[in-house]
Amino acid sequence: MESCRVARLSFQRLLLVSSRLKGIRKGEGPLFGSRQIMVRFQGCPLNCVYCNAPDIKRSETCKLEATPGLRNWKPVNNPIELSELERHIKGLTTPDLHSINFTGGEPLDQLEFCIELAKAVHKFQGIVYLDTAGYPYENFKKLVDYCEYVKIDIKSADAGAVVSEKFDRLVNEELESIKLSVKKQKPTIAKIVIMETTDKKWFENVLSQLKVEVNSVTFFNLTLTPVSPTEEIKNSPSLRKLFEFSEIASKYVPADFIQVTPQAEGYYGVPTS
C-alpha cells in the first residue's frame, strides 16, 4: 500500500498547470474561465467513452509545468512526494489564481494523499476545487470537508462509465455526494455531459431527485456540457438538443443557476495530452 505522502500523477497529461489556457482558464459553470492549477491524479474506477485522459496509467514518470503558462514540462519521478508537489504548486501560484483543481482520473482513488495535499494547500491560503464523480460516496464523505468548491459529474448511461448492473448504484452515489456537498454549504456544481443519445427521461428523473434537496440554490449550479468529439464520438449534440435539455432542467433548477458551457480545454483550443 502506498504512503499517503506520495501520489501517482498521470503520464503525458496536464499534471500541474498554471497557464492561462490549459486548466488554467478552466472551471465549470459560473467558474468557467477561472485560472487554476490542475493536479491530475492517476487511476479511475470508471470508463467513460468521452474521457479526455483515457491513457491514465501507472508510470514511473510524470510531468510538471516549470513556468506558469509556458508549457515547458519537467519530468519527475512518479509517484511524487507531497513536499515536492506542494513546493511546485507554490511556484506556479499567480495573483489571479482562483484555486487548485484536484482532477483525474478520479482523485477519490487516492483519498489519503488528497486529504494531505488539501491540508498543505490550506497552509498557504490556497483554495481546493475538487473535480470528481463523487464515487465512491464513502471516500467523498471523507474528503469534502477539505474542499472549498466541489464539481461532481453525473454520468448518463450512454457515457459507458460502468457496466449496466452497476449504473443505478453509480448515479445514486453521485446524487448523494451532491446532496452532502450542498448540505455542507459548499459551492457545488453538478455537471452532466450531454450526448446526442442522452435519454430525456433519465435526465428529468435525475433532476427530480435533486429538486427537493437543492433548496438552497446559493450553493448549487447545474452545468450542461456538450460532449467533445473523440475517436468514438464523431459529433457533438445539436444546439436544439442542448436547448431542450436546458428547458427541462429549468423545471427543477432556477434558470439563473443553469449554464450550458463547453469543456474549457476544448474551448480554448488546448489539447489534453
Side-chain angles (χ1 to χ4, degrees):
M1 181 176 179
E2 292 179 0
S3 165
C4 67
R5 310 295 293 183
V6 177
R8 287 188 176 273
L9 301 182
S10 65
F11 180 57
Q12 294 183 343
R13 289 285 162 187
L14 205 207
L15 312 176
L16 205 58
V17 188
S18 180
S19 74
R20 290 182 176 272
L21 295 175
K22 200 175 181 179
I24 33 221
R25 295 291 174 185
K26 188 179 174 2
E28 303 281 357
L31 295 178
F32 184 86
S34 300
R35 190 170 191 173
Q36 297 181 321
I37 293 172
M38 293 177 66
V39 183
R40 190 181 289 281
F41 290 94
Q42 281 187 347
C44 182
L46 307 180
N47 190 35
C48 302
V49 295
Y50 49 70
C51 181
N52 68 355
D55 61 347
I56 288 185
K57 303 173 182 177
R58 287 186 175 265
S59 169
E60 299 305 315
T61 307
C62 65
K63 295 188 289 186
L64 308 181
E65 188 178 39
T67 309
L70 295 187
R71 290 184 245 168
N72 49 343
W73 307 110
K74 178 179 76 170
V76 300
N77 291 334
N78 200 25
I80 187 171
E81 294 287 341
L82 174 65
S83 58
E84 181 177 2
L85 185 55
E86 178 185 0
R87 183 167 58 251
H88 202 81
I89 290 173
K90 288 180 180 178
L92 290 176
T93 299
T94 55
D96 59 340
L97 181 69
H98 177 270
S99 50
I100 314 299
N101 186 327
F102 291 14
T103 187
E106 174 52 69
L108 298 183
D109 258 19
Q110 300 193 52
L111 174 64
E112 293 183 355
F113 187 88
C114 281
I115 291 174
E116 294 301 316
L117 181 58
K119 291 178 180 177
V121 168
H122 292 154
K123 286 181 181 178
F124 59 86
Q125 286 75 53
I127 293 173
V128 175
Y129 175 109
L130 177 63
D131 186 344
T132 179
Y135 178 84
Y137 175 65
E138 289 302 315
N139 284 10
F140 180 80
K141 286 196 302 184
K142 297 173 183 177
L143 182 57
V144 64
D145 286 332
Y146 297 94
C147 306
E148 283 69 51
Y149 289 83
V150 176
K151 192 271 284 184
I152 299 173
D153 283 4
I154 305 175
K155 309 294 185 180
S156 60
D158 51 350
V162 293
V163 295
S164 57
E165 294 81 5
K166 296 182 178 180
F167 178 67
D168 287 344
R169 176 186 172 187
L170 170 64
V171 174
N172 287 339
E173 294 201 21
E174 290 166 343
L175 294 176
E176 288 304 309
S177 293
I178 291 170
K179 294 171 186 177
L180 178 62
S181 184
V182 171
K183 182 178 180 180
K184 289 179 174 290
Q185 299 189 352
K186 304 288 182 179
T188 304
I189 300 165
K191 173 184 171 182
I192 301 178
V193 174
I194 305 298
M195 303 169 65
E196 194 60 43
T197 53
T198 303
D199 184 71
K200 286 191 293 185
K201 290 184 179 179
W202 169 84
F203 178 77
E204 187 154 7
N205 179 55
V206 164
L207 294 185
S208 69
Q209 293 181 61
L210 283 178
K211 181 178 180 181
V212 175
E213 301 292 336
V214 184
N215 50 20
S216 180
V217 292
T218 303
F219 306 107
F220 180 80
N221 279 268
L222 174 67
T223 292
L224 308 180
T225 297
V227 68
S228 299
T230 65
E231 290 184 5
E232 295 187 44
I233 303 170
K234 302 305 180 184
N235 299 302
S236 296
S238 65
L239 190 59
R240 178 178 181 179
K241 176 140 189 167
L242 292 173
F243 283 158
E244 183 179 17
F245 274 56
S246 180
E247 290 172 14
I248 293 172
S250 68
K251 298 179 185 178
Y252 306 98
V253 179
D256 286 350
F257 299 94
I258 301 170
Q259 290 83 32
V260 178
T261 61
Q263 186 175 8
E265 290 96 330
Y267 179 82
Y268 287 107
V270 180
T272 53
S273 59

Coordinates of all heavy atoms in Angstrom, one line a residue, residues 61-126:
T61 N 7.1 8.0 -14.5 CA 7.4 9.4 -14.8 C 6.1 10.2 -14.9 O 5.1 9.7 -15.4 CB 8.2 9.6 -16.1 OG1 9.3 8.8 -16.1 CG2 8.6 11.1 -16.2
C62 N 6.1 11.4 -14.4 CA 5.0 12.4 -14.6 C 5.7 13.7 -15.0 O 6.9 13.9 -14.9 CB 4.1 12.5 -13.4 SG 4.9 13.2 -12.0
K63 N 4.9 14.7 -15.4 CA 5.4 15.9 -15.9 C 4.8 17.1 -15.2 O 3.6 17.1 -15.0 CB 5.2 16.1 -17.4 CG 5.9 15.1 -18.2 CD 5.9 15.4 -19.7 CE 4.5 15.1 -20.3 NZ 4.5 15.2 -21.8
L64 N 5.6 18.0 -14.8 CA 5.2 19.3 -14.2 C 5.5 20.5 -15.0 O 6.6 20.5 -15.7 CB 5.8 19.4 -12.8 CG 5.7 18.2 -11.8 CD1 6.4 18.6 -10.5 CD2 4.3 17.8 -11.6
E65 N 4.7 21.5 -15.1 CA 5.0 22.7 -15.8 C 6.0 23.5 -15.0 O 5.8 23.8 -13.8 CB 3.7 23.5 -16.1 CG 4.0 24.6 -17.0 CD 2.7 25.4 -17.3 OE1 1.9 25.6 -16.4 OE2 2.5 25.8 -18.5
A66 N 7.1 23.9 -15.6 CA 8.2 24.5 -14.9 C 7.9 26.0 -14.7 O 8.2 26.6 -13.7 CB 9.5 24.4 -15.7
T67 N 7.2 26.7 -15.7 CA 7.0 28.1 -15.7 C 5.5 28.3 -16.0 O 5.0 27.8 -17.0 CB 7.9 28.9 -16.7 OG1 9.2 28.5 -16.5 CG2 7.7 30.4 -16.5
P68 N 4.8 29.1 -15.2 CA 3.4 29.4 -15.5 C 3.1 29.8 -16.9 O 3.7 30.8 -17.4 CB 3.0 30.5 -14.5 CG 3.9 30.3 -13.4 CD 5.2 29.9 -14.0
G69 N 2.3 29.1 -17.6 CA 1.9 29.5 -18.9 C 2.7 29.1 -20.1 O 2.3 29.2 -21.3
L70 N 3.9 28.6 -19.9 CA 4.9 28.3 -21.0 C 4.8 26.8 -21.5 O 5.4 26.5 -22.5 CB 6.3 28.6 -20.6 CG 6.6 30.1 -20.3 CD1 8.1 30.3 -20.0 CD2 6.1 31.0 -21.4
R71 N 4.1 26.0 -20.7 CA 4.0 24.6 -21.1 C 5.4 23.9 -21.3 O 5.6 23.1 -22.2 CB 3.1 24.4 -22.3 CG 1.7 24.7 -22.0 CD 0.8 24.4 -23.2 NE 0.2 25.6 -23.7 CZ -0.4 25.7 -24.9 NH1 -0.4 24.7 -25.7 NH2 -0.9 26.9 -25.2
N72 N 6.4 24.4 -20.5 CA 7.7 23.8 -20.5 C 7.8 22.7 -19.5 O 8.1 23.0 -18.3 CB 8.8 24.8 -20.4 CG 8.5 25.7 -19.2 OD1 7.4 25.8 -18.7 ND2 9.5 26.5 -18.7
W73 N 7.5 21.4 -19.9 CA 7.3 20.4 -18.9 C 8.6 19.8 -18.4 O 9.6 19.7 -19.1 CB 6.6 19.2 -19.6 CG 5.3 19.7 -20.2 CD1 5.0 19.8 -21.6 CD2 4.1 20.1 -19.5 NE1 3.7 20.2 -21.7 CE2 3.2 20.5 -20.5 CE3 3.8 20.3 -18.2 CZ2 1.9 21.0 -20.2 CZ3 2.6 20.8 -17.9 CH2 1.6 21.1 -18.9
K74 N 8.6 19.5 -17.1 CA 9.8 19.0 -16.4 C 9.4 17.6 -15.9 O 8.4 17.4 -15.1 CB 10.1 19.8 -15.2 CG 11.3 19.3 -14.4 CD 11.7 20.2 -13.2 CE 10.6 20.0 -12.1 NZ 11.1 20.7 -10.9
P75 N 10.1 16.5 -16.4 CA 9.8 15.2 -15.9 C 10.3 15.0 -14.5 O 11.4 15.4 -14.2 CB 10.5 14.3 -16.9 CG 11.6 15.1 -17.4 CD 11.1 16.5 -17.4
V76 N 9.5 14.3 -13.7 CA 9.9 13.9 -12.3 C 9.5 12.5 -12.1 O 8.6 11.9 -12.7 CB 9.3 14.9 -11.3 CG1 9.7 16.3 -11.5 CG2 7.8 14.7 -11.3
N77 N 10.1 11.9 -11.1 CA 9.8 10.5 -10.7 C 8.4 10.4 -10.2 O 7.9 11.3 -9.6 CB 10.8 10.0 -9.7 CG 12.2 9.8 -10.2 OD1 12.4 9.6 -11.4 ND2 13.2 9.9 -9.4
N78 N 7.8 9.3 -10.5 CA 6.4 9.0 -10.1 C 6.4 7.7 -9.4 O 6.9 6.7 -9.9 CB 5.5 8.9 -11.4 CG 4.1 9.2 -11.1 OD1 3.7 9.8 -10.1 ND2 3.2 8.6 -12.0
P79 N 5.8 7.6 -8.2 CA 4.9 8.7 -7.5 C 5.8 9.8 -7.0 O 7.0 9.7 -6.8 CB 4.3 7.9 -6.4 CG 5.2 6.7 -6.1 CD 5.8 6.4 -7.4
I80 N 5.1 10.9 -6.8 CA 5.7 12.2 -6.3 C 5.5 12.4 -4.8 O 4.4 12.1 -4.3 CB 5.2 13.4 -7.2 CG1 6.0 14.6 -6.8 CG2 3.7 13.6 -7.0 CD1 5.7 15.8 -7.8
E81 N 6.5 12.9 -4.1 CA 6.3 13.2 -2.7 C 5.4 14.4 -2.5 O 5.4 15.4 -3.3 CB 7.7 13.4 -2.1 CG 8.6 12.2 -2.0 CD 8.1 11.2 -1.0 OE1 7.3 11.6 -0.1 OE2 8.5 10.0 -1.1
L82 N 4.7 14.4 -1.4 CA 3.8 15.6 -1.1 C 4.6 16.9 -1.0 O 4.2 17.9 -1.5 CB 3.1 15.3 0.2 CG 2.3 16.4 0.8 CD1 1.1 16.7 -0.2 CD2 1.8 16.1 2.2
S83 N 5.8 16.8 -0.4 CA 6.5 18.1 -0.2 C 7.0 18.6 -1.5 O 7.0 19.9 -1.7 CB 7.8 17.8 0.7 OG 8.6 16.8 0.1
E84 N 7.3 17.8 -2.5 CA 7.8 18.3 -3.8 C 6.6 18.9 -4.5 O 6.7 19.9 -5.2 CB 8.4 17.2 -4.6 CG 8.9 17.6 -6.0 CD 9.6 16.5 -6.8 OE1 9.7 15.4 -6.3 OE2 10.0 16.8 -7.9
L85 N 5.4 18.2 -4.5 CA 4.3 18.7 -5.1 C 3.8 20.0 -4.5 O 3.5 21.0 -5.3 CB 3.1 17.7 -5.1 CG 1.8 18.0 -5.8 CD1 2.1 18.3 -7.3 CD2 0.9 16.9 -5.7
E86 N 3.8 20.1 -3.2 CA 3.5 21.4 -2.6 C 4.4 22.5 -3.0 O 3.9 23.6 -3.3 CB 3.5 21.2 -1.0 CG 3.2 22.4 -0.3 CD 3.4 22.2 1.2 OE1 3.8 21.1 1.7 OE2 3.2 23.2 2.0
R87 N 5.7 22.2 -3.0 CA 6.6 23.3 -3.4 C 6.4 23.7 -4.9 O 6.5 24.9 -5.2 CB 8.0 22.7 -3.3 CG 9.2 23.7 -3.6 CD 10.5 23.1 -3.1 NE 10.8 21.8 -3.8 CZ 10.8 20.7 -3.1 NH1 10.5 20.6 -1.8 NH2 11.1 19.6 -3.7
H88 N 6.0 22.8 -5.7 CA 5.8 23.1 -7.1 C 4.5 24.0 -7.3 O 4.5 24.9 -8.1 CB 5.7 21.9 -8.0 CG 6.0 22.1 -9.4 ND1 7.3 22.2 -9.9 CD2 5.2 22.3 -10.5 CE1 7.3 22.5 -11.2 NE2 6.0 22.5 -11.6
I89 N 3.5 23.6 -6.6 CA 2.3 24.4 -6.6 C 2.5 25.8 -6.2 O 2.0 26.8 -6.8 CB 1.2 23.7 -5.7 CG1 0.7 22.4 -6.4 CG2 0.0 24.7 -5.6 CD1 -0.2 21.6 -5.5
K90 N 3.3 26.0 -5.1 CA 3.6 27.3 -4.7 C 4.3 28.1 -5.8 O 4.1 29.3 -6.0 CB 4.4 27.3 -3.4 CG 3.7 26.8 -2.2 CD 4.6 26.8 -1.0 CE 3.9 26.4 0.3 NZ 4.9 26.3 1.4
G91 N 5.2 27.5 -6.5 CA 6.0 28.1 -7.5 C 5.1 28.5 -8.7 O 5.5 29.4 -9.5
L92 N 4.0 27.9 -8.9 CA 3.1 28.2 -10.1 C 2.0 29.2 -9.7 O 1.2 29.6 -10.6 CB 2.5 26.9 -10.6 CG 3.4 25.9 -11.3 CD1 2.6 24.7 -11.7 CD2 4.0 26.6 -12.6
T93 N 1.9 29.5 -8.4 CA 0.8 30.4 -8.0 C 1.0 31.8 -8.5 O 2.1 32.4 -8.5 CB 0.8 30.5 -6.4 OG1 0.5 29.1 -5.9 CG2 -0.3 31.4 -5.9
T94 N -0.1 32.4 -9.0 CA -0.1 33.7 -9.6 C -1.2 34.6 -8.9 O -2.1 34.0 -8.3 CB -0.4 33.7 -11.1 OG1 -1.6 33.0 -11.3 CG2 0.8 33.0 -11.9
P95 N -1.1 35.9 -9.0 CA -2.1 36.8 -8.3 C -3.5 36.5 -8.7 O -4.4 36.8 -7.9 CB -1.6 38.2 -8.7 CG -0.2 38.1 -9.0 CD -0.1 36.7 -9.7
D96 N -3.7 36.1 -9.9 CA -5.1 35.9 -10.4 C -5.6 34.4 -10.2 O -6.7 34.1 -10.8 CB -5.2 36.3 -11.9 CG -4.3 35.5 -12.8 OD1 -3.3 34.9 -12.3 OD2 -4.6 35.5 -14.0
L97 N -4.9 33.6 -9.5 CA -5.2 32.2 -9.3 C -6.5 32.1 -8.5 O -6.7 32.7 -7.5 CB -4.1 31.5 -8.6 CG -4.4 30.0 -8.3 CD1 -4.3 29.2 -9.6 CD2 -3.4 29.4 -7.3
H98 N -7.4 31.3 -9.0 CA -8.7 31.0 -8.3 C -8.5 29.9 -7.3 O -8.9 30.0 -6.1 CB -9.8 30.7 -9.2 CG -11.1 30.4 -8.5 ND1 -11.5 29.1 -8.2 CD2 -12.1 31.2 -8.1 CE1 -12.6 29.1 -7.6 NE2 -13.1 30.3 -7.5
S99 N -8.0 28.7 -7.8 CA -8.0 27.5 -7.0 C -7.0 26.5 -7.5 O -6.6 26.6 -8.6 CB -9.4 27.0 -6.9 OG -10.0 26.8 -8.2
I100 N -6.8 25.5 -6.6 CA -6.1 24.3 -7.0 C -7.1 23.2 -7.3 O -7.9 22.8 -6.5 CB -5.1 23.8 -5.9 CG1 -4.4 25.0 -5.2 CG2 -4.2 22.7 -6.4 CD1 -3.5 25.8 -6.2
N101 N -7.0 22.7 -8.6 CA -8.0 21.8 -9.1 C -7.5 20.3 -8.9 O -6.5 19.9 -9.5 CB -8.3 22.1 -10.5 CG -9.4 21.2 -11.1 OD1 -9.6 20.1 -10.7 ND2 -10.2 21.8 -12.1
F102 N -8.1 19.5 -8.0 CA -7.8 18.1 -7.9 C -8.7 17.4 -8.9 O -9.9 17.3 -8.8 CB -8.2 17.6 -6.5 CG -7.3 18.1 -5.4 CD1 -6.5 19.2 -5.6 CD2 -7.3 17.5 -4.1 CE1 -5.7 19.7 -4.5 CE2 -6.6 18.0 -3.1 CZ -5.7 19.1 -3.3
T103 N -8.1 16.8 -9.9 CA -8.8 16.2 -11.0 C -8.1 14.9 -11.4 O -7.2 14.4 -10.7 CB -8.9 17.1 -12.2 OG1 -9.8 16.5 -13.2 CG2 -7.6 17.4 -12.8
G104 N -8.6 14.2 -12.4 CA -8.0 12.9 -12.8 C -8.3 12.5 -14.2 O -8.6 13.4 -15.0
G105 N -8.5 11.2 -14.4 CA -8.6 10.2 -13.4 C -9.7 10.5 -12.4 O -10.6 11.3 -12.6
E106 N -9.6 10.0 -11.2 CA -10.5 10.2 -10.1 C -9.7 10.4 -8.8 O -9.1 9.5 -8.3 CB -11.5 9.0 -9.9 CG -12.4 9.1 -8.7 CD -13.1 10.4 -8.7 OE1 -14.0 10.6 -9.5 OE2 -12.8 11.2 -7.8
P107 N -9.7 11.7 -8.3 CA -9.0 12.0 -7.1 C -9.3 11.1 -5.9 O -8.5 10.8 -5.0 CB -9.3 13.4 -6.8 CG -9.7 14.0 -8.1 CD -10.4 12.9 -8.8
L108 N -10.6 10.6 -5.8 CA -11.0 9.8 -4.7 C -10.3 8.5 -4.7 O -10.3 7.8 -3.6 CB -12.5 9.6 -4.7 CG -13.4 10.8 -4.6 CD1 -14.9 10.4 -4.6 CD2 -13.1 11.7 -3.4
D109 N -9.7 8.1 -5.8 CA -8.9 6.9 -5.8 C -7.6 7.0 -4.9 O -7.0 6.0 -4.6 CB -8.5 6.5 -7.2 CG -9.3 5.4 -7.8 OD1 -10.4 5.2 -7.3 OD2 -8.9 4.8 -8.8
Q110 N -7.2 8.2 -4.7 CA -6.0 8.5 -3.9 C -6.4 9.4 -2.7 O -5.9 10.5 -2.5 CB -4.9 9.1 -4.7 CG -4.5 8.2 -5.8 CD -3.2 8.7 -6.5 OE1 -2.2 8.9 -5.8 NE2 -3.2 8.8 -7.8
L111 N -7.4 8.9 -1.9 CA -8.1 9.7 -0.9 C -7.1 10.2 0.1 O -7.1 11.4 0.4 CB -9.1 8.8 -0.2 CG -9.8 9.4 1.0 CD1 -10.6 10.6 0.6 CD2 -10.7 8.4 1.7
E112 N -6.3 9.4 0.7 CA -5.4 9.8 1.8 C -4.4 10.9 1.3 O -4.2 11.9 2.1 CB -4.6 8.7 2.4 CG -5.5 7.7 3.1 CD -4.7 6.5 3.7 OE1 -3.5 6.5 3.5 OE2 -5.3 5.7 4.4
F113 N -3.9 10.8 0.2 CA -3.0 11.8 -0.4 C -3.7 13.1 -0.6 O -3.2 14.2 -0.3 CB -2.3 11.3 -1.6 CG -1.2 12.3 -2.1 CD1 0.1 12.2 -1.6 CD2 -1.5 13.3 -3.0 CE1 1.1 13.1 -2.1 CE2 -0.6 14.2 -3.4 CZ 0.7 14.1 -3.0
C114 N -4.9 13.0 -1.2 CA -5.7 14.2 -1.4 C -6.0 15.0 -0.1 O -5.9 16.2 -0.1 CB -7.1 13.8 -2.1 SG -6.9 13.5 -3.9
I115 N -6.3 14.3 0.9 CA -6.5 15.0 2.2 C -5.2 15.7 2.7 O -5.3 16.8 3.1 CB -7.0 13.9 3.3 CG1 -8.4 13.4 2.9 CG2 -7.0 14.6 4.7 CD1 -8.9 12.3 3.8
E116 N -4.1 15.0 2.6 CA -2.8 15.6 3.0 C -2.5 16.8 2.1 O -2.0 17.8 2.6 CB -1.7 14.6 2.9 CG -1.9 13.5 4.0 CD -1.9 14.0 5.4 OE1 -1.1 14.9 5.7 OE2 -2.8 13.5 6.2
L117 N -2.7 16.7 0.8 CA -2.4 17.8 -0.1 C -3.4 19.0 0.2 O -2.9 20.1 0.1 CB -2.6 17.3 -1.6 CG -2.3 18.4 -2.6 CD1 -0.9 18.9 -2.5 CD2 -2.5 17.8 -4.0
A118 N -4.6 18.7 0.4 CA -5.6 19.8 0.7 C -5.1 20.5 2.0 O -5.2 21.8 2.1 CB -7.0 19.2 0.9
K119 N -4.7 19.8 3.0 CA -4.2 20.4 4.2 C -3.0 21.3 3.9 O -2.8 22.5 4.4 CB -3.8 19.4 5.2 CG -4.9 18.6 5.8 CD -4.4 17.6 6.8 CE -5.5 16.7 7.4 NZ -5.0 15.7 8.3
A120 N -2.1 20.8 3.0 CA -0.9 21.6 2.6 C -1.3 22.9 1.9 O -0.7 24.0 2.1 CB 0.0 20.8 1.8
V121 N -2.3 22.8 1.0 CA -2.8 23.9 0.2 C -3.3 25.0 1.2 O -3.1 26.2 1.0 CB -3.8 23.5 -0.8 CG1 -4.5 24.7 -1.4 CG2 -3.2 22.7 -1.9
H122 N -4.1 24.5 2.2 CA -4.7 25.5 3.1 C -3.7 26.2 3.9 O -3.9 27.4 4.4 CB -5.7 24.7 4.0 CG -6.9 24.2 3.3 ND1 -7.6 23.2 3.7 CD2 -7.5 24.7 2.1 CE1 -8.6 22.9 2.9 NE2 -8.5 23.8 1.9
K123 N -2.5 25.6 4.1 CA -1.5 26.3 4.9 C -1.0 27.5 4.2 O -0.5 28.5 4.9 CB -0.3 25.3 5.2 CG -0.6 24.2 6.2 CD 0.6 23.3 6.4 CE 0.2 22.2 7.5 NZ 1.4 21.3 7.7
F124 N -1.0 27.6 2.9 CA -0.6 28.8 2.2 C -1.8 29.5 1.6 O -1.7 30.2 0.6 CB 0.5 28.6 1.2 CG 0.1 27.6 0.1 CD1 -0.5 28.1 -1.1 CD2 0.5 26.3 0.1 CE1 -0.8 27.2 -2.1 CE2 0.2 25.4 -0.9 CZ -0.4 25.9 -2.0
Q125 N -3.0 29.4 2.3 CA -4.2 30.1 2.0 C -4.7 29.7 0.6 O -5.4 30.6 0.0 CB -4.1 31.6 2.2 CG -4.0 32.1 3.6 CD -2.7 31.8 4.3 OE1 -1.6 32.1 3.8 NE2 -2.7 31.1 5.4
G126 N -4.4 28.6 0.1 CA -4.9 28.2 -1.2 C -6.4 27.6 -1.1 O -6.8 27.3 0.0

